[in-house]
Coordinates of all heavy atoms in Angstrom, one line a residue:
I41 N 36.5 -113.7 65.2 CA 36.4 -114.9 65.9 C 35.3 -114.7 67.0 O 35.1 -113.6 67.5 CB 37.7 -115.4 66.5 CG1 38.3 -114.3 67.4 CG2 38.7 -115.7 65.4 CD1 39.5 -114.8 68.2
K42 N 34.7 -115.8 67.4 CA 33.7 -115.7 68.4 C 34.3 -115.3 69.8 O 35.4 -115.8 70.2 CB 33.0 -117.1 68.6 CG 31.8 -117.1 69.5 CD 31.1 -118.4 69.5 CE 29.9 -118.4 70.4 NZ 29.2 -119.7 70.5
N43 N 33.7 -114.3 70.4 CA 34.1 -113.9 71.7 C 34.3 -115.1 72.6 O 33.4 -115.9 72.8 CB 33.2 -112.9 72.3 CG 33.3 -111.5 71.7 OD1 33.8 -111.4 70.6 ND2 32.9 -110.5 72.5
A44 N 35.4 -115.2 73.3 CA 35.7 -116.3 74.2 C 36.7 -115.9 75.3 O 37.5 -115.0 75.0 CB 36.2 -117.5 73.4
T45 N 36.6 -116.5 76.4 CA 37.5 -116.3 77.5 C 38.8 -117.1 77.3 O 38.7 -118.3 77.0 CB 36.9 -116.5 78.8 OG1 35.7 -115.7 79.0 CG2 37.9 -116.3 80.0
Y46 N 39.9 -116.5 77.5 CA 41.2 -117.2 77.3 C 42.0 -117.0 78.6 O 42.0 -116.0 79.2 CB 42.0 -116.6 76.1 CG 41.4 -117.0 74.8 CD1 40.4 -116.2 74.3 CD2 41.8 -118.0 74.1 CE1 39.8 -116.4 73.0 CE2 41.3 -118.3 72.8 CZ 40.3 -117.5 72.3 OH 39.7 -117.8 71.1
T47 N 42.8 -118.1 78.9 CA 43.7 -118.0 80.1 C 45.1 -117.6 79.5 O 45.5 -118.2 78.5 CB 43.8 -119.4 80.8 OG1 42.5 -119.7 81.2 CG2 44.7 -119.3 81.9
V48 N 45.7 -116.7 80.2 CA 47.1 -116.3 79.8 C 48.0 -117.4 80.2 O 48.1 -117.9 81.4 CB 47.4 -115.0 80.6 CG1 48.9 -114.7 80.4 CG2 46.6 -113.8 80.1
T49 N 48.9 -117.9 79.3 CA 49.8 -118.9 79.6 C 51.2 -118.4 79.7 O 52.1 -119.2 80.2 CB 49.8 -120.0 78.4 OG1 50.2 -119.3 77.2 CG2 48.4 -120.6 78.2
G72 N 46.2 -109.3 83.6 CA 45.7 -110.3 84.5 C 45.8 -111.7 83.9 O 46.6 -111.9 82.9
T73 N 45.0 -112.6 84.4 CA 45.2 -114.0 84.0 C 44.1 -114.5 83.0 O 44.2 -115.5 82.4 CB 45.1 -114.9 85.2 OG1 43.8 -114.7 85.9 CG2 46.2 -114.6 86.2
K74 N 43.0 -113.6 82.8 CA 42.0 -114.0 81.9 C 41.7 -112.8 81.0 O 41.7 -111.6 81.4 CB 40.7 -114.3 82.6 CG 40.8 -115.5 83.6 CD 40.8 -116.8 82.9 CE 40.7 -117.9 84.0 NZ 40.7 -119.3 83.3
V75 N 41.6 -113.1 79.7 CA 41.2 -112.0 78.7 C 40.1 -112.5 77.8 O 39.9 -113.7 77.7 CB 42.5 -111.6 77.9 CG1 43.6 -111.1 78.8 CG2 43.0 -112.8 77.0
T76 N 39.5 -111.6 77.1 CA 38.5 -112.0 76.1 C 39.1 -111.8 74.7 O 39.4 -110.7 74.3 CB 37.2 -111.2 76.3 OG1 36.7 -111.4 77.6 CG2 36.2 -111.5 75.2
G77 N 39.2 -112.9 73.9 CA 39.7 -112.8 72.6 C 38.5 -112.6 71.6 O 37.5 -113.3 71.8
Y78 N 38.6 -111.7 70.6 CA 37.5 -111.5 69.7 C 37.9 -111.2 68.2 O 37.0 -111.0 67.4 CB 36.6 -110.3 70.3 CG 37.3 -109.0 70.3 CD1 37.1 -108.0 69.3 CD2 38.2 -108.6 71.3 CE1 37.7 -106.8 69.3 CE2 38.8 -107.4 71.4 CZ 38.5 -106.5 70.4 OH 39.2 -105.2 70.5
Y79 N 39.2 -111.1 67.9 CA 39.6 -110.8 66.5 C 40.9 -111.5 66.3 O 41.7 -111.7 67.2 CB 39.7 -109.3 66.4 CG 39.5 -108.7 65.0 CD1 38.5 -109.2 64.2 CD2 40.4 -107.7 64.5 CE1 38.3 -108.6 62.9 CE2 40.2 -107.2 63.3 CZ 39.2 -107.6 62.4 OH 39.0 -107.1 61.2
Y93 N 46.0 -112.8 68.1 CA 44.7 -112.5 68.6 C 44.6 -111.1 69.2 O 45.5 -110.6 69.9 CB 44.3 -113.5 69.7 CG 43.8 -114.8 69.1 CD1 43.6 -115.9 70.0 CD2 43.6 -115.1 67.8 CE1 43.2 -117.1 69.6 CE2 43.2 -116.3 67.3 CZ 43.0 -117.3 68.3 OH 42.6 -118.6 67.8
K94 N 43.5 -110.4 68.8 CA 43.2 -109.2 69.5 C 42.3 -109.5 70.7 O 41.4 -110.3 70.6 CB 42.5 -108.2 68.6 CG 42.3 -106.8 69.3 CD 41.7 -105.8 68.3 CE 41.7 -104.4 68.9 NZ 41.1 -103.4 68.0
F95 N 42.6 -109.0 71.9 CA 41.9 -109.3 73.1 C 41.5 -108.0 73.9 O 42.1 -106.9 73.6 CB 42.7 -110.2 74.0 CG 44.0 -109.6 74.5 CD1 44.0 -108.9 75.7 CD2 45.2 -109.7 73.8 CE1 45.1 -108.2 76.2 CE2 46.3 -109.1 74.3 CZ 46.3 -108.3 75.5
K96 N 40.7 -108.2 74.8 CA 40.3 -107.0 75.7 C 40.1 -107.5 77.1 O 39.8 -108.6 77.4 CB 39.0 -106.4 75.1 CG 37.8 -107.3 75.1 CD 36.6 -106.6 74.5 CE 35.4 -107.5 74.5 NZ 34.2 -106.8 73.9
V97 N 40.4 -106.5 78.0 CA 40.1 -106.6 79.4 C 39.5 -105.3 79.8 O 40.2 -104.3 79.9 CB 41.3 -107.0 80.3 CG1 41.0 -107.0 81.7 CG2 41.9 -108.3 79.9
H106 N 48.8 -116.0 69.4 CA 47.7 -116.8 69.9 C 48.1 -117.9 70.8 O 47.4 -118.4 71.6 CB 46.9 -117.4 68.7 CG 47.5 -118.6 68.0 ND1 48.6 -118.4 67.2 CD2 47.3 -119.9 68.1 CE1 49.0 -119.6 66.8 NE2 48.2 -120.5 67.3
Y108 N 50.0 -117.8 73.3 CA 50.1 -117.4 74.7 C 48.8 -117.3 75.3 O 48.7 -116.8 76.5 CB 50.8 -116.1 74.7 CG 52.3 -116.1 74.3 CD1 52.9 -115.1 73.6 CD2 53.1 -117.2 74.7 CE1 54.2 -115.2 73.2 CE2 54.4 -117.3 74.3 CZ 55.0 -116.3 73.5 OH 56.3 -116.3 73.1
L109 N 47.7 -117.7 74.6 CA 46.4 -117.7 75.2 C 45.8 -119.0 75.0 O 45.8 -119.6 73.9 CB 45.5 -116.6 74.5 CG 45.9 -115.2 74.5 CD1 45.0 -114.3 73.7 CD2 46.1 -114.7 75.9
K110 N 45.2 -119.6 76.0 CA 44.5 -120.9 76.0 C 43.1 -120.7 76.3 O 42.7 -120.1 77.3 CB 45.2 -121.8 77.0 CG 44.5 -123.2 77.0 CD 45.2 -124.1 78.0 CE 44.6 -125.5 78.0 NZ 45.2 -126.4 79.1
K111 N 42.3 -121.2 75.3 CA 40.8 -121.0 75.5 C 40.3 -121.7 76.8 O 40.6 -122.9 77.0 CB 40.1 -121.6 74.3 CG 38.6 -121.2 74.2 CD 38.0 -121.6 72.8 CE 36.6 -121.0 72.6 NZ 36.1 -121.3 71.3
A112 N 39.6 -120.9 77.6 CA 39.2 -121.5 78.9 C 37.9 -122.3 78.7 O 37.1 -122.0 77.8 CB 38.9 -120.3 79.9
A113 N 37.7 -123.3 79.5 CA 36.5 -124.0 79.5 C 35.3 -123.1 79.9 O 35.5 -122.3 80.7 CB 36.6 -125.2 80.5

Side-chain angles (χ1 to χ4, degrees):
I41 59 175
K42 187 176 181 180
N43 283 21
T45 300
Y46 291 83
T47 300
V48 172
T49 62
T73 60
K74 301 283 187 182
V75 301
T76 300
Y78 64 99
Y79 206 43
Y93 281 171
K94 188 174 186 180
F95 65 88
K96 60 183 177 181
V97 176
H106 78 284
Y108 293 141
L109 301 179
K110 181 179 179 181
K111 195 169 186 178

